[in-house]
Amino acid sequence: MATEERLDDSGNKIMGNDGTPRKFNTDEIVGYKYSVTILEGEHRKKSTRITVAGLDCPINNAEIMKRDSVKCRFTGLEPSMVGNPIYYKAEKIELVAPQAK
């Protein structure tokens, strides 16, 4: 979701407890979050959440639920919040075609 700063009835910015302008969520979608298990590469770990900015959504939840697993590839994957757990952000998500058995 996108965020915005708002004004009070007097026309002043609404401030948070830390003295910075408070951010309010809007109904505008600016990207998607995916809960994933990273299987390979330098960011390999059990599971995490990846945020992709942009409106391109190559698969919806209904389609994901129909499958045993969905493999995808992220472009520009990098940590967005380092801690425990680590969250990531990416520029783009692409589905990987299932291999024939």
Side-chain angles (χ1 to χ4, degrees), residues 79-94:
S80 63
M81 186 179 90
V82 179
N84 188 12
I86 298 175
Y87 295 112
Y88 297 90
K89 63 182 178 180
E91 297 167 6
K92 186 177 179 183
I93 180 175
E94 299 173 49

Side-chain angles (χ1 to χ4, degrees), residues 3-87:
T3 60
E4 66 183 8
E5 296 175 3
R6 294 184 184 161
L7 305 177
D8 63 17
D9 293 336
S10 303
N12 300 314
K13 285 187 181 180
I14 298 173
M15 305 301 274
N17 292 337
D18 61 357
T20 60
R22 189 166 163 210
K23 303 287 186 186
F24 294 87
N25 288 331
T26 68
D27 59 354
E28 179 184 4
I29 297 173
V30 294
Y32 294 93
K33 294 184 186 308
Y34 300 91
S35 295
V36 301
T37 300
I38 300 175
L39 302 175
E40 58 189 42
E42 69 176 285
H43 302 292
R44 180 183 174 149
K45 60 183 292 191
K46 291 184 178 180
S47 63
T48 190
R49 185 171 59 209
I50 299 176
T51 301
V52 179
L55 300 179
D56 181 33
C57 184
I59 191 168
N60 61 37
N61 197 49
E63 185 62 30
I64 291 170
M65 296 305 290
K66 292 179 192 175
R67 302 183 186 190
D68 290 332
S69 68
V70 177
K71 292 195 176 184
C72 61
R73 183 169 289 119
F74 293 94
T75 304
L77 185 65
E78 62 182 56
S80 63
M81 186 179 90
V82 179
N84 188 12
I86 298 175
Y87 295 112

